Amino acid sequence: PNTGLVTMLDARSGEVLAVAETGPDSYAEGQLLLDPGRGLLYAVNLTDYTCSVLDAGSLESVALIEGVERLALDAENDLLYLAGNGALRLAGAASRETRREVRVGEWSRFLLSDLDAPGNRLYLAYNDGGRYVLGIYDTPSLAEVASLTLPGRPDDLAADGQRGRVYLTLDDGRQS
């Protein structure tokens, strides 16, 4: 498979400042997540379910986390939420050590995630054996609050804790 690449650009000039190889990522679809407080960039490698942790200033490799398809950061509470290998894990953002883990679905393939930290909710969209699901989880306990079957494959997800809303774009398989 192809190697995933992360490219750092100067925001003003567009100049390429650095390029880092991560892990196997055939389609370069892996999620990026920035932790500006720690100066870290997380790059998910979907082909082997790993996450490369990079120094955001240089793109030098810092660590590799196993079993990751999606992740979310609660910087204020120093927490990292990791979804992969059919499980949801809560880890310390600094140590990346798992503090709690729960199983999700039967044959889950995680697609999207978003965090409403003040509302104590994590939203995970996943494919569970051909059925698309939105799972809603309580962040302190990782307990499932609700599970909703979706009428199509989710393409994007945004949570709005202030309004108590979750927004999704869905592909129902029909061309419109």
Side-chain angles (χ1 to χ4, degrees):
N2 296 331
T3 300
L5 298 174
V6 174
T7 303
M8 178 173 44
L9 303 175
D10 181 280
R12 289 184 186 88
S13 70
E15 176 187 357
V16 175
L17 301 175
V19 177
E21 289 188 358
T22 57
D25 192 1
S26 298
Y27 301 101
E29 294 178 333
Q31 176 188 5
L32 287 177
L33 177 72
L34 180 64
D35 180 347
R38 286 188 178 72
L40 297 175
L41 181 67
Y42 297 86
V44 175
N45 310 302
L46 287 177
T47 302
D48 69 350
Y49 304 113
T50 62
C51 179
S52 299
V53 183
L54 307 170
D55 178 284
S58 66
L59 294 188
E60 292 295 319
S61 180
V62 173
L64 185 71
I65 306 171
E66 301 282 339
V68 179
E69 294 173 72
R70 299 298 303 175
L71 67 160
L73 173 69
D74 178 354
E76 186 175 314
N77 293 307
D78 191 39
L79 298 171
L80 192 59
Y81 296 90
L82 308 161
N85 292 337
L88 173 60
R89 295 178 293 166
L90 171 63
S95 69
R96 295 178 289 282
E97 291 182 17
T98 299
R99 296 179 183 176
R100 191 172 299 123
E101 182 173 330
V102 296
R103 298 294 305 161
V104 175
E106 295 293 320
W107 306 99
S108 300
R109 170 79 166 87
F110 297 99
L111 304 170
L112 302 165
S113 63
D114 201 4
L115 179 66
D116 170 15
N120 294 323
R121 292 291 183 262
L122 177 69
Y123 300 91
L124 282 177
Y126 57 95
N127 181 337
D128 190 21
R131 181 176 67 105
Y132 295 107
V133 178
L134 176 65
I136 304 170
Y137 296 87
D138 175 70
T139 53
S141 67
L142 297 187
E144 185 179 70
V145 175
S147 176
L148 311 167
T149 299
L150 299 173
R153 183 188 194 285
D155 290 322
D156 209 351
L157 163 70
D160 181 350
Q162 286 187 321
R163 290 185 176 86
R165 305 281 189 261
V166 178
Y167 304 94
L168 297 145
T169 55
L170 301 172
D171 179 354
D172 63 4
R174 296 180 295 202
Q175 192 168 5
S176 44

